């Protein structure tokens, strides 16, 4: 017996469901971030991740496989040329679902589903160090040898990059910290 | 088809309905220290729009 689909069934018929999921995936790749009901978001995530995996391979066969689901050629082009390469250093988990407040009107649980924009922690660290893990070393041996020759310049440049990226990554937390400091200062003034 | 034999008394109806109670919604403080608004758990904050340090939705 085939395994039943995980999650809610959508629409009135299997073809209707396929169309709804395909349209949701198309909108997701077109805009990068969409707001929908939580049930639809949970159904579209596996489909979208499989399409991105095909887009990462990016040859003609995989492009045709994507075309079976996404009928808009502009979106297929964007998926293969921009979204696929963007996720080259991430193994799955390309899409994030965040719950939001229920919809006014029918109180349906809503969610924001988006393509993950951040780079992975390991890729950031590798970029900062200019090296790779021993497991990933073999294909990148030539690169590491080159980087060793220009070690000084690479190190200085990389350290600057890493500092910048760390700043940008921590910006919400840093802002929060600053505001907390301001609050603390104002409290001190009050005491005085 | 099964049908009621007796009319249900006003008392019984009201006794049953007295158990229909609304519970207060459980809320937590927003983890964004600059916001700290009350919000449902595991949901992007409706005041500041952040969830787990990321800006997810536009603030209301």
């Amino acid at each position: 017996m085939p395994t039943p689909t995980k999650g809610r069934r959508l629409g009135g018929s299997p073809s209707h469901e396929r169309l709804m999921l395909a349209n949701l995936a198309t909108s997701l790749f077109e805009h990068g971030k969409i707001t929908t009901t939580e049930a639809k978001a949970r159904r579209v995530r596996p489909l979208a991740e499989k399409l991105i995996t095909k887009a990462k391979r990016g040859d003609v066969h995989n492009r045709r496989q994507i075309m079976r689901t996404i009928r808009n050629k502009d979106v297929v082009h964007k998926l293969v040329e921009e979204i696929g390469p963007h996720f080259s250093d991430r193994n799955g988990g390309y899409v994030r679902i965040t719950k939001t407040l229920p919809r006014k009107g029918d109180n349906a649980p809503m969610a924001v589903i988006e393509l993950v924009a951040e780079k992975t922690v390991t890729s950031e660290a590798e970029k900062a160090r200019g090296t790779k893990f021993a497991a990933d070393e073999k294909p990148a041996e030539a690169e590491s040898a080159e980087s060793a020759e220009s070690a000084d310049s690479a190190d200085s440049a990389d350290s600057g990059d890493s500092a910048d990226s760390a700043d940008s990554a921590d910006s919400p937390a840093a802002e929060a910290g600053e505001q907390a400091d301001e609050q603390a200062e104002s409290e001190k003034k009050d005491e005085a | 088809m099964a049908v009621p034999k007796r009319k249900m008394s006003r008392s019984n109806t009201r006794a049953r309905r007295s158990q229909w109670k609304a519970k207060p919604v459980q809320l937590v403080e927003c983890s964004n220290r600059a916001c700290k608004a009350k919000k449902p758990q595991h949901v992007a904050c409706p005041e500041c729009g952040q969830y787990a340090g990321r800006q997810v939705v536009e603030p209301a």
Side-chain angles (χ1 to χ4, degrees), chain A residues 24-35 52 75 78 83 87 94-96 112-117:
Chain A
L24 279 166
T26 308
S27 301
L28 175 62
F29 294 134
E30 192 178 349
H31 301 286
K33 180 179 190 177
I34 56 174
T35 307
I52 291 171
V75 175
K78 188 185 172 195
I83 297 171
F87 288 123
Y94 313 116
V95 176
R96 174 190 294 141
V112 172
I113 180 165
E114 60 188 325
L115 301 174
V116 176

Side-chain angles (χ1 to χ4, degrees), chain A residues 101, chain B residues 45-50 55 57-60:
Chain A
L101 284 189
Chain B
C45 178
E47 295 293 324
C48 63
Q50 285 192 10
Q55 195 69 33
V57 289
E58 293 291 312

Side-chain angles (χ1 to χ4, degrees), chain A residues 89-145:
Chain A
D89 54 358
R90 186 180 282 273
N91 303 318
Y94 313 116
V95 176
R96 174 190 294 141
I97 295 174
T98 312
K99 284 185 264 191
T100 56
L101 284 189
R103 177 161 61 191
K104 293 271 184 292
D106 63 355
N107 205 29
M110 299 296 281
V112 172
I113 180 165
E114 60 188 325
L115 301 174
V116 176
E118 295 91 356
K119 291 287 172 187
T120 55
V121 176
T122 38
S123 74
E124 289 275 341
E126 280 170 2
K127 198 180 156 198
R129 278 187 279 116
T131 56
K132 297 218 167 202
F133 281 118
D136 311 330
E137 192 76 54
K138 275 166 192 163
E141 251 177 355
E143 288 174 15
S144 63

Side-chain angles (χ1 to χ4, degrees), chain B residues 5-40:
Chain B
K5 189 167 188 179
R6 298 230 174 262
K7 173 180 175 156
M8 195 171 194
S9 72
R10 203 179 295 167
S11 157
N12 268 341
T13 303
R14 287 173 180 172
R16 173 168 40 83
R17 288 186 187 162
S18 72
Q19 300 304 315
W20 298 358
K21 288 168 190 165
K23 273 187 199 155
V25 183
Q26 199 177 5
L27 299 174
V28 294
E29 273 190 2
C30 177
S31 60
N32 177 8
R33 281 184 294 165
C35 174
K36 283 197 169 180
K38 291 278 185 183
K39 69 175 189 69

